[in-house]
Amino acid sequence: MASPMRCLLTEPDRYLQSFRLFLEKSTEHQSMREFMERQLPDVIASIGNGKSTINVLSVGGGAGEMDLLILSKVQARYPGVTINNEVIEPSADQISKYKERVAQTSNLGNVKFTWHKETSYEYESRMNAEKKSKKWDFIHMIQMLYYVKDIPATVRYFHSLLESQGKLLIILVSGKSGWETLFKKYGSSFALDDLCTFVSTGDLPKILDSAGLKYQLYELPSHMDITSCFIEGDRDGELLLDFMTETLEFSKTAPPELKRQLMEELRKPGCSENRDGKVLFNSNLGVIVIDP
């Protein structure tokens, strides 16, 4: 009898291990970097027009890798302008890595960093309690909407903080990815509890349309090598399965029939493709850029 399944986020250390392995095995950061290089300059082309200071808010900034790339693009577009970069991030470990990354990066003299160790909801509650509503020229939420309880309210709140030329950028898994197939079919069987919900760019247009917001949607191709998931007892494979199902020790605690069906699903064209003897999971991303 398998023990009851638990949400991966209840064990932050294992979650971070599995997340780092996911980044190592996937082209996620590479595909985000390509977007930042190619499309981001157009997205931010007018956010700082005529300003002596540009305010950037990173919601769920993690360890800062993408944040620093974004800041370099803002610097390139608006040379010499002061940038006030504030970061909302609940993990002390991630903030500490972010600070290390900043310390090792040159050319950040005109950027002022402030870190808030809190969730987006805690930030919103604090701002409301202090009766503050600071306005921002650029707000980005990269891979973080899975961890909020009320997605429409969170999007509406941060959108309300945009300056008249500002932009809100959201990155999530694509509605055309293997994640969509996996979670629409099996999500209700995973141990997601209230720490994590599944949302993709397939879900956002409905939310944005009903709020009357204007936006552009971009599709970013990305894949993850999940070959090790099919090797019984392989540690990397087990960690990746944990990450993909958001379930702690999925391969040991999932009911055998659920595990069998899931492993079959992962090999199907809706989820993955076989290439050069590897099973490559479709982990495409979607980017939504919302106007003020």
Side-chain angles (χ1 to χ4, degrees):
M1 169 88 185
S3 56
M5 298 199 295
R6 282 168 56 208
C7 178
L8 178 59
L9 289 167
T10 58
E11 289 275 347
D13 286 350
R14 188 163 171 100
Y15 170 77
L16 269 177
Q17 273 185 316
S18 67
F19 174 61
R20 286 179 186 138
L21 183 65
F22 158 71
L23 289 180
E24 188 188 309
K25 297 285 185 185
S26 78
T27 59
E28 168 145 324
H29 272 188
Q30 188 184 321
S31 87
M32 280 191 214
R33 276 195 291 270
E34 282 173 15
F35 175 84
M36 304 303 178
E37 296 290 345
R38 292 175 189 168
Q39 278 103 355
L40 189 67
D42 289 340
V43 170
I44 60 170
S46 58
I47 61 167
N49 284 354
K51 299 196 168 208
S52 57
T53 300
I54 294 173
N55 292 313
V56 177
L57 181 63
S58 163
V59 188
E65 186 177 342
M66 288 302 136
D67 286 23
L68 294 192
L69 185 51
I70 288 168
L71 290 171
S72 73
K73 297 301 165 196
V74 177
Q75 286 175 309
R77 175 67 185 84
Y78 303 98
V81 169
T82 300
I83 300 168
N84 169 42
N85 184 71
E86 294 195 26
V87 182
I88 300 167
E89 170 55 53
S91 161
D93 178 61
Q94 293 286 78
I95 289 176
S96 140
K97 288 191 166 52
Y98 196 137
K99 288 179 176 176
E100 281 169 28
R101 187 166 262 130
V102 168
Q104 291 159 7
T105 305
S106 54
N107 308 325
L108 290 174
N110 64 325
V111 185
K112 177 175 173 279
F113 288 90
T114 310
W115 287 271
H116 303 284
K117 186 189 170 299
E118 57 194 351
T119 64
S120 61
Y121 179 72
E122 286 163 350
Y123 174 85
E124 181 181 344
S125 304
R126 181 168 63 81
M127 288 294 139
N128 290 338
E130 294 171 9
K131 298 196 166 37
K132 288 181 181 168
S133 68
K134 182 168 180 172
K135 294 286 185 177
W136 301 90
D137 300 299
F138 189 58
I139 301 175
H140 54 88
M141 312 165 88
I142 298 176
Q143 295 287 46
M144 63 70 64
L145 277 179
Y146 320 110
Y147 309 108
V148 305
K149 286 195 170 60
D150 188 335
I151 291 164
T154 300
V155 172
R156 279 196 306 271
Y157 171 72
F158 285 102
H159 177 265
S160 76
L161 305 182
L162 286 179
E163 289 279 18
S164 59
Q165 294 288 314
K167 298 281 184 187
L168 168 58
L169 177 142
I170 295 173
I171 299 184
L172 288 169
V173 296
S174 164
K176 297 173 180 167
S177 67
W179 299 110
E180 182 85 357
T181 308
L182 208 57
F183 275 82
K184 289 288 184 272
K185 226 169 188 179
Y186 298 103
S188 59
S189 306
F190 300 154
L192 286 178
D193 70 28
D194 65 350
L195 292 169
C196 187
T197 44
F198 178 75
V199 58
S200 74
T201 53
D203 303 305
L204 275 195
K206 197 190 298 178
I207 293 169
L208 302 176
D209 292 341
S210 68
L213 301 179
K214 288 191 178 140
Y215 57 91
Q216 294 87 42
L217 180 56
Y218 304 82
E219 190 79 11
L220 310 187
S222 178
H223 65 261
M224 167 171 56
D225 182 353
I226 60 167
T227 315
S228 60
C229 293
F230 300 94
I231 303 165
E232 197 63 44
D234 184 278
R235 179 170 163 72
D236 281 1
E238 290 184 356
L239 276 172
L240 286 177
L241 279 173
D242 284 13
F243 185 78
M244 294 170 82
T245 60
E246 291 283 350
T247 302
L248 184 66
E249 304 272 10
F250 176 83
S251 64
K252 294 187 174 78
T253 63
E257 184 56 17
L258 172 64
K259 184 181 172 186
R260 186 191 67 74
Q261 287 178 12
L262 182 99
M263 300 311 286
E264 262 180 33
E265 193 67 47
L266 282 177
R267 284 190 181 275
K268 290 181 183 171
C271 276
S272 304
E273 63 166 318
N274 284 300
R275 202 192 306 160
D276 304 326
K278 291 178 176 170
V279 184
L280 299 179
F281 181 76
N282 172 343
S283 59
N284 284 7
L285 298 167
V287 179
I288 292 185
V289 177
I290 309 171
D291 296 327

